[in-house]
Amino acid sequence: MNKGLFITFEGPDGSGKTTVSTAVTQRLEAEGYQVRYTREPGGSNIAEEIRHIILDPKNTDMDARTEALLYAASRRQHLSDKVLPALENGIHVISDRFVDSSLAYQGCGRQIGIDEVYNINQFAIEGHMPDKTIFLQIDAETGLKRIQKGRAVLDRLDQESIEFHQRVHQGYEEILKKYADRMIIVDATKDVDEVIEQAYTIVKGLLDACESA
Ligand code: TMP
């Protein structure tokens, strides 16, 4: 039996990742593909509890390195509870965010440095990187406007300054260059149905290639 494919969706806040990745998963499931949908931070019971601590707007005085370690801890639990067992059983995994989010948000947004954040995450992921990443590209201002319009409650990260979100954006630009072979860029400023269609076609192609290998 082939191992499943590990596909992640990445992008700044307001890029539409959750809408697009859930729609793509539902279509693939309806067509009979064995796909498990998940998200970070969270995705399994203990990891969701850590998510709650990280995103609670009350925790304004959380230290940047504590934040990075909590994301990594949540990721470890999620990986061992949900991602690795599925992949081992030949089930494809689609995750809304993974380690690239920590590189962009904690590495650049919080200015800890991409390499430092990568190193602490290695302890958590033991080399398990995604096979492919769909990157939904949108500028920081447009992304932020979308979430301010669309969300009833803003979490602790959503409430960060535009400068923070601009640094996250620059971080993603660096990650796109660093992992160019893994990254597939989709223009997220287009109409959502068009973005879903494009992402669906890409992911279906990847799963078909994996299953026929
Ligand atoms: P979400 O809005 O995609 O559910 O993610 C919650 C917030 O957490 C979002 O602002 C991005 C942020 N985040 C990080 O800062 N580092 C990470 O490693 C992950 C997975 C998310």
Side-chain angles (χ1 to χ4, degrees):
M1 180 178 52
N2 281 349
K3 271 181 137 193
L5 208 63
F6 184 21
I7 296 175
T8 58
F9 277 73
E10 287 284 349
D13 290 288
S15 57
K17 272 179 309 64
T18 306
T19 309
V20 175
S21 56
T22 47
V24 167
T25 309
Q26 280 163 6
R27 255 173 98 171
L28 291 166
E29 279 171 342
E31 287 168 19
Y33 289 90
Q34 290 254 67
V35 188
R36 180 167 295 173
Y37 177 79
T38 188
R39 69 156 183 187
E40 284 203 356
S44 72
N45 290 345
I46 297 172
E48 286 288 334
E49 287 191 32
I50 302 173
R51 175 189 173 97
H52 182 73
I53 298 171
I54 303 173
L55 296 180
D56 190 338
K58 273 204 319 281
N59 290 335
T60 44
D61 51 357
M62 188 181 291
D63 173 78
R65 282 171 185 254
T66 305
E67 181 184 281
L69 288 165
L70 286 174
Y71 275 114
S74 159
R75 175 160 304 124
R76 171 68 196 180
Q77 189 68 34
H78 171 233
L79 190 72
S80 68
D81 278 349
K82 205 164 171 186
V83 178
L84 295 179
L87 297 176
E88 286 300 327
N89 283 306
I91 300 168
H92 307 297
V93 174
I94 294 183
S95 183
D96 179 351
R97 297 194 184 280
F98 192 63
V99 69
D100 296 312
S101 288
S102 280
L103 304 183
Y105 282 78
Q106 283 64 55
C108 294
R110 297 288 186 221
Q111 298 177 297
I112 297 173
I114 287 186
D115 290 342
E116 284 243 63
V117 174
Y118 179 81
N119 289 339
I120 64 140
N121 272 277
Q122 273 314 310
F123 180 72
I125 66 175
E126 295 182 294
H128 294 288
M129 289 295 275
D131 294 303
K132 286 285 174 193
T133 298
I134 312 295
F135 181 73
L136 299 188
Q137 197 162 44
I138 193 167
D139 60 278
E141 291 79 4
T142 313
L144 271 188
K145 269 190 210 138
R146 279 191 187 173
I147 59 169
Q148 280 157 358
K149 248 206 233 158
R151 288 191 196 164
V153 182
L154 296 181
D155 67 39
R156 196 171 57 83
L157 276 283
D158 294 335
Q159 290 176 10
E160 279 296 334
S161 65
I162 182 71
E163 290 76 20
F164 171 84
H165 288 282
Q166 274 159 348
R167 286 197 299 274
V168 170
H169 196 267
Q170 282 159 12
Y172 272 128
E173 291 300 318
E174 274 185 53
I175 293 163
L176 285 174
K177 284 193 205 122
K178 192 168 171 158
Y179 298 110
D181 291 349
R182 171 164 60 84
M183 297 286 173
I184 303 172
I185 301 174
V186 171
D187 179 358
T189 60
K190 290 195 182 139
D191 176 72
V192 67
D193 290 334
E194 240 181 284
V195 181
I196 291 171
E197 189 59 37
Q198 202 182 335
Y200 162 79
T201 307
I202 294 166
V203 176
K204 183 176 156 55
L206 293 170
L207 299 195
D208 287 342
C210 170
E211 290 184 7
S212 63

